[in-house]
Coordinates of all heavy atoms in Angstrom, one line a residue:
V320 N 23.2 24.2 165.5 CA 23.0 22.9 166.3 C 23.4 21.7 165.3 O 23.1 21.8 164.1 CB 21.6 22.7 166.7 CG1 21.2 23.8 167.8 CG2 20.6 22.8 165.6
H321 N 24.0 20.7 165.9 CA 24.3 19.5 165.1 C 24.6 18.4 166.1 O 25.0 18.6 167.2 CB 25.5 19.8 164.2 CG 25.7 18.8 163.1 ND1 26.3 17.6 163.3 CD2 25.3 18.9 161.8 CE1 26.3 17.0 162.1 NE2 25.7 17.7 161.2
A322 N 24.5 17.2 165.6 CA 24.8 16.0 166.5 C 26.3 15.9 166.8 O 26.7 15.4 167.8 CB 24.3 14.8 165.8
S323 N 27.1 16.4 165.9 CA 28.6 16.4 166.1 C 29.1 17.7 166.6 O 28.8 18.8 166.0 CB 29.3 16.0 164.8 OG 30.6 16.3 164.8
S324 N 29.9 17.7 167.6 CA 30.5 19.0 168.1 C 31.4 19.7 167.0 O 31.3 20.9 166.9 CB 31.3 18.7 169.4 OG 30.5 18.2 170.4
T325 N 32.2 18.9 166.3 CA 33.0 19.4 165.3 C 32.2 20.0 164.2 O 32.5 21.1 163.7 CB 34.0 18.3 164.7 OG1 34.7 17.7 165.8 CG2 34.9 18.9 163.7
A326 N 31.2 19.3 163.7 CA 30.4 19.8 162.6 C 29.6 21.1 163.1 O 29.4 22.0 162.3 CB 29.4 18.8 162.2
C327 N 29.2 21.1 164.4 CA 28.5 22.3 164.9 C 29.4 23.5 164.8 O 28.9 24.6 164.4 CB 28.1 22.0 166.3 SG 27.1 23.3 167.1
E328 N 30.6 23.4 165.3 CA 31.5 24.5 165.2 C 31.9 25.0 163.8 O 32.0 26.2 163.5 CB 32.8 24.2 166.0 CG 32.7 24.2 167.5 CD 32.3 25.5 168.1 OE1 32.7 26.5 167.5 OE2 31.7 25.5 169.1
S329 N 32.0 24.0 162.9 CA 32.3 24.3 161.5 C 31.1 25.1 160.9 O 31.3 26.1 160.2 CB 32.6 23.0 160.8 OG 32.8 23.3 159.4
L330 N 29.9 24.6 161.1 CA 28.8 25.3 160.6 C 28.6 26.7 161.2 O 28.3 27.6 160.5 CB 27.5 24.5 160.9 CG 27.2 23.2 160.0 CD1 26.1 22.4 160.6 CD2 26.9 23.6 158.6
L331 N 28.9 26.8 162.4 CA 28.8 28.1 163.1 C 29.8 29.1 162.5 O 29.5 30.3 162.3 CB 29.1 28.0 164.6 CG 28.9 29.3 165.4 CD1 27.6 29.9 165.2 CD2 29.3 29.0 166.9
N332 N 31.0 28.6 162.2 CA 32.0 29.5 161.5 C 31.5 30.0 160.2 O 31.7 31.2 159.8 CB 33.4 28.8 161.4 CG 34.1 28.7 162.6 OD1 34.0 29.5 163.5 ND2 35.0 27.7 162.8
V333 N 30.9 29.1 159.4 CA 30.4 29.5 158.1 C 29.2 30.5 158.3 O 29.2 31.5 157.6 CB 29.9 28.2 157.3 CG1 29.2 28.6 156.0 CG2 31.1 27.3 157.1
W334 N 28.3 30.2 159.2 CA 27.1 31.0 159.4 C 27.6 32.4 159.9 O 27.1 33.4 159.5 CB 26.2 30.3 160.4 CG 24.9 30.9 160.7 CD1 24.3 31.0 161.9 CD2 23.9 31.6 159.8 NE1 23.1 31.6 161.9 CE2 22.8 32.0 160.6 CE3 23.9 31.8 158.5 CZ2 21.7 32.6 160.1 CZ3 22.8 32.5 157.9 CH2 21.7 32.9 158.7
K335 N 28.6 32.4 160.8 CA 29.1 33.6 161.4 C 29.7 34.5 160.3 O 29.5 35.7 160.2 CB 30.1 33.3 162.5 CG 30.8 34.6 163.1 CD 31.7 34.2 164.2 CE 32.9 33.5 163.7 NZ 33.9 34.4 163.0
G336 N 30.5 33.8 159.4 CA 31.1 34.6 158.3 C 30.1 35.3 157.4 O 30.3 36.4 157.0
F337 N 28.9 34.6 157.1 CA 27.9 35.2 156.3 C 27.3 36.4 157.1 O 27.0 37.5 156.5 CB 26.8 34.2 155.9 CG 25.7 34.8 155.3 CD1 25.7 35.2 153.9 CD2 24.5 35.0 155.9 CE1 24.6 35.8 153.3 CE2 23.4 35.6 155.3 CZ 23.5 36.0 154.0
I338 N 26.9 36.2 158.3 CA 26.3 37.2 159.1 C 27.2 38.5 159.2 O 26.8 39.6 159.1 CB 25.9 36.7 160.5 CG1 24.8 35.7 160.4 CG2 25.5 37.9 161.4 CD1 23.5 36.2 159.9
E339 N 28.5 38.2 159.4 CA 29.5 39.3 159.4 C 29.4 40.1 158.1 O 29.6 41.4 158.2 CB 30.9 38.8 159.7 CG 31.1 38.4 161.1 CD 32.5 37.8 161.3 OE1 33.0 37.2 160.4 OE2 33.1 38.0 162.4
S340 N 29.3 39.5 157.0 CA 29.3 40.2 155.7 C 28.1 41.1 155.6 O 28.1 42.0 154.7 CB 29.3 39.1 154.6 OG 28.1 38.5 154.4
K341 N 27.0 40.9 156.4 CA 25.8 41.7 156.3 C 25.8 42.8 157.5 O 24.8 43.6 157.5 CB 24.6 40.9 156.4 CG 24.5 39.8 155.3 CD 24.4 40.5 153.9 CE 24.3 39.5 152.8 NZ 24.3 40.1 151.5
L342 N 26.7 42.8 158.4 CA 26.6 43.6 159.6 C 26.7 45.1 159.2 O 26.1 45.9 159.9 CB 27.8 43.3 160.5 CG 27.6 42.1 161.4 CD1 28.8 41.9 162.3 CD2 26.4 42.1 162.2
R343 N 27.4 45.5 158.2 CA 27.4 46.9 157.8 C 26.1 47.4 157.4 O 25.8 48.6 157.6 CB 28.5 47.2 156.8 CG 28.2 46.7 155.4 CD 29.3 47.2 154.4 NE 29.1 46.8 153.1 CZ 29.7 45.7 152.6 NH1 30.5 45.0 153.3 NH2 29.5 45.3 151.3
I344 N 25.2 46.6 156.9 CA 23.8 47.0 156.6 C 23.1 47.3 157.9 O 22.4 48.3 158.0 CB 23.1 45.9 155.8 CG1 23.8 45.7 154.4 CG2 21.6 46.2 155.6 CD1 23.2 44.5 153.7
F345 N 23.3 46.5 158.9 CA 22.7 46.8 160.2 C 23.3 48.1 160.8 O 22.5 48.9 161.3 CB 23.0 45.6 161.1 CG 22.3 45.7 162.5 CD1 21.0 46.0 162.6 CD2 23.0 45.4 163.6 CE1 20.4 46.0 163.8 CE2 22.4 45.4 164.9 CZ 21.1 45.7 164.9
L346 N 24.6 48.3 160.6 CA 25.2 49.5 161.2 C 24.7 50.8 160.4 O 24.4 51.8 161.1 CB 26.7 49.5 161.0 CG 27.5 48.7 162.1 CD1 28.9 48.3 161.6 CD2 27.6 49.6 163.3
Y347 N 24.5 50.7 159.1 CA 24.0 51.8 158.4 C 22.6 52.2 158.9 O 22.2 53.3 159.0 CB 23.9 51.5 156.9 CG 25.3 51.3 156.2 CD1 25.4 50.5 155.1 CD2 26.4 51.9 156.7 CE1 26.6 50.3 154.4 CE2 27.6 51.7 156.0 CZ 27.7 50.9 154.9 OH 28.9 50.7 154.3
A348 N 21.8 51.1 159.2 CA 20.4 51.3 159.6 C 20.4 51.9 161.1 O 19.6 52.8 161.4 CB 19.6 50.0 159.6
L349 N 21.3 51.4 161.9 CA 21.4 51.9 163.3 C 21.8 53.4 163.4 O 21.2 54.1 164.1 CB 22.4 51.1 164.1 CG 22.0 49.7 164.5 CD1 23.1 49.0 165.2 CD2 20.8 49.7 165.5
E350 N 22.7 53.8 162.5 CA 23.2 55.1 162.6 C 22.2 56.1 162.1 O 22.4 57.4 162.2 CB 24.5 55.3 161.9 CG 24.5 55.1 160.4 CD 25.9 55.1 159.7 OE1 26.9 54.9 160.4 OE2 25.9 55.4 158.5
C351 N 21.1 55.7 161.5 CA 20.0 56.6 161.1 C 19.2 57.1 162.3 O 18.5 58.1 162.2 CB 19.1 55.9 160.1 SG 19.9 55.6 158.5
V352 N 19.3 56.3 163.4 CA 18.5 56.7 164.6 C 19.3 56.9 165.8 O 18.7 57.4 166.8 CB 17.5 55.5 164.9 CG1 16.5 55.4 163.8 CG2 18.2 54.2 165.1
A353 N 20.6 56.6 165.8 CA 21.4 56.9 167.0 C 22.9 56.9 166.7 O 23.3 56.4 165.6 CB 21.1 55.8 168.1
E354 N 23.7 57.4 167.6 CA 25.1 57.2 167.5 C 25.4 55.7 167.8 O 24.8 55.1 168.7 CB 25.9 58.0 168.5 CG 25.8 59.5 168.3 CD 26.6 60.2 169.4 OE1 27.8 59.9 169.6 OE2 26.0 61.1 170.1
V355 N 26.3 55.1 167.0 CA 26.5 53.7 167.2 C 28.0 53.4 167.2 O 28.8 54.0 166.4 CB 25.8 52.8 166.1 CG1 26.2 53.3 164.7 CG2 26.1 51.3 166.3
R356 N 28.5 52.5 168.1 CA 29.9 52.1 168.1 C 29.9 50.6 168.2 O 29.5 50.0 169.3 CB 30.7 52.7 169.2 CG 32.2 52.3 169.1 CD 33.1 53.3 169.7 NE 34.5 53.0 169.4 CZ 35.5 53.9 169.5 NH1 35.2 55.1 169.9 NH2 36.7 53.5 169.3
P357 N 30.4 49.8 167.2 CA 30.4 48.4 167.3 C 31.6 47.9 168.2 O 32.6 48.5 168.3 CB 30.6 47.9 165.9 CG 31.4 49.0 165.2 CD 30.9 50.3 165.9
F358 N 31.4 46.8 168.8 CA 32.5 46.0 169.4 C 32.9 45.1 168.3 O 32.2 44.1 167.9 CB 32.0 45.2 170.6 CG 33.2 44.4 171.3 CD1 34.1 45.0 172.1 CD2 33.3 43.1 171.0 CE1 35.1 44.3 172.7 CE2 34.3 42.3 171.6 CZ 35.2 43.0 172.4
P359 N 34.1 45.3 167.6 CA 34.4 44.7 166.4 C 35.0 43.3 166.5 O 36.0 42.9 165.9 CB 35.4 45.6 165.7 CG 36.1 46.2 166.9 CD 35.1 46.3 168.0

Side-chain angles (χ1 to χ4, degrees):
V320 295
H321 198 277
S323 163
S324 297
T325 302
C327 183
E328 287 295 331
S329 178
L330 284 169
L331 182 59
N332 282 333
V333 175
W334 184 221
K335 177 175 71 71
F337 172 75
I338 292 296
E339 283 178 327
S340 72
K341 301 298 180 182
L342 283 179
R343 68 173 179 267
I344 296 174
F345 187 45
L346 276 161
Y347 295 152
L349 286 175
E350 67 186 21
C351 291
V352 294
E354 294 179 52
V355 55
R356 181 151 191 165
F358 180 80

